[in-house]
Amino acid sequence: MVEPPPAASPAVDSGALDHLAVDPDGFEHTVAALCARDGCSPVEVVGGAGDLGADVIATTPDGLRVVLQCKQYAADHRVGSPDLQRFGGTCYAVHEADVAVVVTTSSFTDPALEYAASCGIVCVDGAELEAWTGSAAPAPWAARAEDATRGLRSGTSCET
């Protein structure tokens, strides 16, 4: 059996990190580029029809599997609880995330944040995305890495 070639690493130049200048598919690639910039390898963009909630899957330098859902929304279109619930139903059980992250260009509703907190999903809003992009904040999985290595995933249930 012939093995497929490994996925190419995302570009990490300044244009690759400009999440405001791209369409939703491009936004997934900018998030993947941020993951690659911050040491993840491999990094795959897997979003599209049938993605079951995962847009980007990355492996951190210390081996954690990070599953990211990307929501490129206008500032007045907040990410709601239904979005988090759909992702929560698959990020751990289907995609086997050690760290689950939802990244948006906008913000989250309070019910969405409450649901995410109950499931251990990291929420990155537009301001936090800007800080991460500008290297003014650590990668979103950094805060969860200690929890994940202590087995947060095995004790988490987010099924809807």
Side-chain angles (χ1 to χ4, degrees):
M1 175 178 219
V2 176
E3 292 289 321
S9 294
V12 189
D13 60 31
S14 61
L17 303 179
D18 187 359
H19 60 269
L20 298 175
V22 296
D23 63 12
D25 288 337
F27 181 55
E28 294 172 1
H29 287 272
T30 65
V31 171
L34 285 169
C35 293
R37 180 200 70 190
D38 289 348
C40 291
S41 181
V43 178
E44 294 180 78
V45 177
V46 295
D51 65 14
L52 296 174
D55 291 323
V56 177
I57 297 177
T59 303
T60 67
D62 47 342
L64 294 176
R65 182 176 175 86
V66 181
V67 177
L68 300 102
Q69 171 65 221
C70 303
K71 298 289 185 191
Q72 185 188 39
Y73 289 163
D76 63 346
H77 182 164
R78 299 171 76 194
V79 178
S81 183
D83 290 319
L84 272 289
Q85 290 173 18
R86 280 189 294 276
F87 183 58
T90 61
C91 61
Y92 297 111
V94 174
H95 298 294
E96 299 179 338
D98 291 311
V99 182
V101 181
V102 177
V103 180
T104 186
T105 51
S106 65
S107 60
F108 297 88
T109 64
D110 288 340
L113 291 171
E114 290 169 14
Y115 178 82
S118 73
C119 296
I121 297 172
V122 178
C123 292
V124 177
D125 66 20
E128 293 164 331
L129 175 60
E130 285 295 326
W132 179 27
T133 301
S135 298
W141 55 85
R144 303 300 304 182
E146 186 177 318
D147 291 337
T149 58
R150 282 190 272 132
L152 176 66
R153 179 174 55 129
S154 64
T156 303
S157 175
C158 293
E159 297 188 19
T160 56

